[in-house]
Amino acid sequence: MSSSTQELSSAETGCPPEEILSTQEIDASCRYPVLLFFISAAVWFLFSAVLGLLAPIKFHSPNFFTHCPWLTYGRIHPVQLDSFVYGFAAQAAFGVTLWLFCRLGRTCLFAPKVLLLVAKIWNLGVLIGCAGILAGDSTGIAWLEFPRYASSILFAAYLLFGIWAVLTFHARRQRQLFPTQWYLLAALFWFAWIFSAANMLLVFAPVRGVVQICVSAWYASNLLHVWLATIGLGTIFYFIPKLTNRPLHSYYLALFSFWGIALFGGWGFINVNAPLPSWIPALSAVAAMMMILPLICVALNLRGIFGVKSATPILSFIKFGAISFLVSESMAILSSLRPLNKILFFTYFTTAQTDLLLQGFFASVMFGAIYYILPRVLGVEWQKSIRSHFLTFTIGVLVYVLALAVGGIVQGINLNNPQIPFADVIKGTLPFLHISLLGSLLLVMSGILFLRNLLSLCISYSRACWENKKSEARS
């Protein structure tokens, strides 16, 4: 199969030559919405990283900020996770999705000014949601802690975004669909479904009893293992062939992995000891094990690519994200097995696996995509070093994840040993938490470098526009 990222001629698109748009025209059409989404994502990433540094300090110094109820661990931690998912991850995904729909569809962005409004409404919803949690108005539901008034704003903004993204997709001149488009289009509809259903069943009209546990686990699995996975993999399947100049190994493997993730990703990874009817955790364990199949397909589709030397930090980001996806999903599958689940669940190992999926996989892929897209959208080159950001970020992720993964294994073994007092188990995890703080600090530094790089590019773009206006005025 040919690479899904090759520039297409009029014969390949089926359009008359006069209807073929240049890449410069396509990029210019989505310049300001994509830039606003990316700048907003960078700000929320840094905000989340700072909270991720403050929250664990509570384990080492319980009196830290005790005079301020807004900064208790029970409020900081959910704000950190939700600001990452809805502030950074969602907006980075919005910008990348819009650009890829335009580039692969060989069309301009539909009504860009509306998407500027969408970005503002979405940021307002995230800001109100974070403020609501810090003020004590959290729902208490994992990954859905935003109060209902904030969730309503987010859903309204997402409906607008979804409509405009679908209209852009529908207006495409290139009618053939590539694997990247399957993944991104599915993710577009998937989030609207799971977010609305979970909010309705857990927040607006709460169901009773064990059904709440089922719906909460269903939403978390779909959010992490389906929605984020499809966006990240769709982006990988575009950029790795593009940057390595090698096509995907197989169109059909990409199709199989797509349907495998859609069918099994949303039903797995429920704790086998959850207070549910025994058939539900058993079925969830089967679904988790079936995730091995799409995981193998992804690995086979990218085989031979990992051995390619990374000529740019952009490719390094994408490759690190691909490897992190395979490792994190493997960790999740292993921890769903009953003998290992008994040891690893409710330990720092689970936290390490989730953060490897969020930071190592999704954030890394988005960083690489943003570093590739923005210079083409703005028409200027990066003024700051990307490699320093890559090194700081990857070292931070590795230190953080390895410390918590090893600490979680030790913690789980000790928790299952009745001869070890619980207080000693807690004390035994402190050295690993100390090491993880170094990783959190490096992630904060990477967030600063990322925001600095984006702002420096914007300044360069402003200067270039000013110089163009001056030259036009002279002429």
Side-chain angles (χ1 to χ4, degrees):
M1 178 182 124
S2 63
S3 171
S4 65
T5 60
Q6 293 175 342
E7 300 299 335
L8 300 169
S9 64
S10 60
E12 290 171 307
T13 59
C15 300
E18 62 273 12
E19 294 185 15
I20 298 299
L21 298 174
S22 67
T23 56
Q24 289 81 6
E25 291 177 293
I26 294 171
D27 292 342
S29 71
C30 52
R31 176 176 297 150
Y32 295 110
V34 166
L35 179 61
L36 182 55
F37 279 127
F38 288 165
I39 292 291
S40 302
V43 172
W44 284 113
F45 179 87
L46 180 58
F47 177 74
S48 174
V50 170
L51 293 185
L53 179 63
L54 292 178
I57 295 178
K58 294 286 187 179
F59 297 129
H60 311 285
S61 179
N63 295 324
F64 183 66
F65 280 131
T66 51
H67 61 283
C68 182
W70 284 56
L71 297 179
T72 56
Y73 181 82
R75 299 187 186 182
I76 289 179
H77 183 62
V79 171
Q80 178 221 338
L81 294 179
D82 285 9
S83 62
F84 181 92
V85 171
Y86 301 107
F88 165 73
Q91 295 196 83
F94 292 167
V96 171
T97 298
L98 290 176
W99 186 82
L100 286 174
F101 274 179
C102 292
R103 270 296 188 99
L104 290 174
R106 307 297 296 170
T107 187
C108 289
L109 183 63
F110 183 82
K113 291 183 179 179
V114 175
L115 289 164
L116 288 173
L117 177 63
V118 168
K120 295 173 183 177
I121 297 174
W122 185 272
N123 279 290
L124 177 64
V126 176
L127 182 62
I128 292 174
C130 290
I133 296 174
L134 292 174
D137 196 15
S138 169
T139 64
I141 302 166
W143 306 104
L144 279 175
E145 287 91 353
F146 283 171
R148 64 175 66 186
Y149 45 84
S151 298
S152 300
I153 296 173
L154 291 181
F155 187 68
Y158 191 82
L159 282 181
L160 275 176
F161 170 80
I163 291 170
W164 259 250
V166 170
L167 288 174
T168 299
F169 177 81
H170 178 71
R172 70 192 186 279
R173 289 174 167 83
Q174 165 60 25
R175 306 310 295 177
Q176 178 188 356
L177 292 184
F178 300 110
T180 291
Q181 291 165 297
W182 310 336
Y183 282 82
L184 296 181
L185 191 63
L188 197 65
F189 288 97
W190 209 275
F191 181 81
W193 171 43
I194 64 172
F195 188 75
S196 60
N199 270 286
M200 183 59 64
L201 296 174
L202 297 176
V203 179
F204 289 91
V207 292
R208 296 175 178 271
V210 297
V211 181
Q212 287 189 357
I213 302 174
C214 293
V215 175
S216 180
W218 171 82
Y219 178 72
S221 293
N222 277 277
L223 182 73
L224 299 176
H225 302 285
V226 180
W227 183 57
L228 292 181
T230 50
I231 295 172
L233 287 176
T235 306
I236 287 173
F237 286 158
Y238 176 87
F239 281 104
I240 281 190
K242 184 77 171 179
L243 296 172
T244 61
N245 207 22
R246 295 187 179 187
L248 291 178
H249 177 69
S250 171
Y251 176 96
Y252 297 104
L253 284 176
L255 181 62
F256 188 88
S257 59
F258 170 79
W259 285 112
I261 291 171
L263 291 174
F264 305 120
W267 303 103
F269 315 109
I270 296 177
N271 181 17
V272 297
N273 296 312
L276 296 168
S278 58
W279 65 269
I280 295 179
L283 186 62
S284 175
V286 172
M289 293 303 300
M290 293 299 291
M291 277 290 289
I292 294 176
L293 298 177
L295 206 61
I296 292 173
C297 289
V298 171
L300 290 175
N301 226 346
L302 301 177
R303 66 178 180 178
I305 294 176
F306 296 120
V308 177
K309 185 177 180 181
S310 298
T312 65
I314 297 175
L315 180 56
S316 299
F317 270 117
I318 302 294
K319 286 172 63 176
F320 182 74
I323 294 171
S324 296
F325 173 77
L326 297 174
V327 175
S328 63
E329 288 295 333
S330 298
M331 291 169 64
I333 292 170
L334 289 174
S335 62
S336 66
L337 299 174
R338 183 173 290 274
L340 295 177
N341 185 274
K342 183 179 179 181
I343 298 173
L344 300 177
F345 214 79
F346 296 122
T347 68
Y348 291 122
F349 183 88
T350 306
T351 305
Q353 182 272 322
T354 302
D355 275 282
L356 184 60
L357 185 68
L358 293 175
Q359 300 273 5
F361 162 56
F362 194 81
S364 184
V365 171
M366 291 298 108
F367 287 152
I370 290 170
Y371 278 130
Y372 182 90
I373 292 170
L374 271 187
R376 287 156 177 80
V377 167
L378 298 181
V380 292
E381 294 299 324
W382 292 104
Q383 303 299 313
K384 300 294 183 179
S385 173
I386 301 175
R387 190 166 297 278
S388 59
H389 176 210
F390 171 73
L391 292 175
T392 306
F393 173 76
T394 51
I395 294 172
V397 170
L398 291 175
V399 170
Y400 183 84
V401 169
L402 287 174
L404 291 185
V406 175
I409 294 172
V410 173
Q411 180 187 21
I413 294 172
N414 290 338
L415 282 172
N416 283 271
N417 188 345
Q419 297 180 352
I420 301 178
F422 184 75
D424 292 342
V425 175
I426 300 300
K427 292 178 182 178
T429 61
L430 289 179
F432 301 101
L433 292 178
H434 289 146
I435 298 173
S436 71
L437 272 180
L438 175 60
S440 298
L441 179 60
L442 289 172
L443 288 175
V444 172
M445 293 174 60
S446 74
I448 295 172
L449 292 173
F450 181 50
L451 185 58
R452 180 205 66 171
N453 291 346
L454 264 61
L455 292 178
S456 68
L457 191 71
C458 292
I459 293 171
S460 299
Y461 171 70
S462 300
R463 288 174 179 171
C465 291
W466 177 250
E467 292 296 329
N468 289 336
K469 288 182 180 179
K470 287 173 64 177
S471 63
E472 289 174 1
R474 291 194 195 100
S475 61

